[in-house]
Amino acid sequence: MSQTNIQEKIASFTSIEQALDYFEIGYDSKFINEYRIELIKRFNGYLILEKPDDWFSGRRALKNAYCKIQRGRLDKHTRSACRGCTTCQRR
């Protein structure tokens, strides 16, 4: 898939769940309902910073957005591990 095709595909999504499903990223619907706007903004920000040129770079941008929000929810004063994301590569 070319760069313009992946960007058109991402632009065609009407919900963040469609993007998560397309990029095969597992998610918690309760988390999505609570952090939907922040997740969309962060994902779009990553897409602006680096235009995806294939499925993998689009997936990476969405995973990074999801993970950033998950890690931001952790207590800063403890050494707790991120355990909310089923596809996290930082485990």
Side-chain angles (χ1 to χ4, degrees):
M1 191 175 267
S2 71
Q3 183 175 5
T4 55
N5 288 346
I6 191 69
Q7 290 173 0
E8 289 170 1
K9 182 67 177 175
I10 291 170
S12 74
F13 297 140
T14 57
S15 70
I16 195 65
E17 289 89 349
Q18 285 180 327
L20 289 161
D21 290 338
Y22 177 75
F23 289 117
E24 300 173 2
I25 297 173
Y27 59 92
D28 176 21
S29 57
K30 191 170 106 177
F31 172 82
I32 297 299
N33 290 335
E34 188 173 344
Y35 294 97
R36 177 180 309 276
I37 301 300
E38 187 178 351
L39 180 58
I40 292 168
K41 285 180 180 180
R42 189 163 296 278
F43 178 46
N44 286 331
Y46 285 144
L47 294 176
I48 290 169
L49 288 172
E50 186 176 332
K51 300 282 187 227
D53 53 358
D54 60 8
W55 183 87
F56 296 101
S57 59
R59 183 174 197 262
R60 190 175 322 109
L62 184 54
K63 280 182 71 168
N64 287 342
Y66 192 94
C67 191
K68 178 78 171 173
I69 295 169
Q70 283 283 16
R71 287 182 290 124
R73 297 173 53 218
L74 298 174
D75 185 7
K76 306 272 188 266
H77 303 292
T78 63
R79 295 181 56 91
S80 59
C82 178
R83 58 191 174 276
C85 183
T86 57
T87 58
C88 188
Q89 296 176 338
R90 289 177 170 84
R91 290 185 195 208

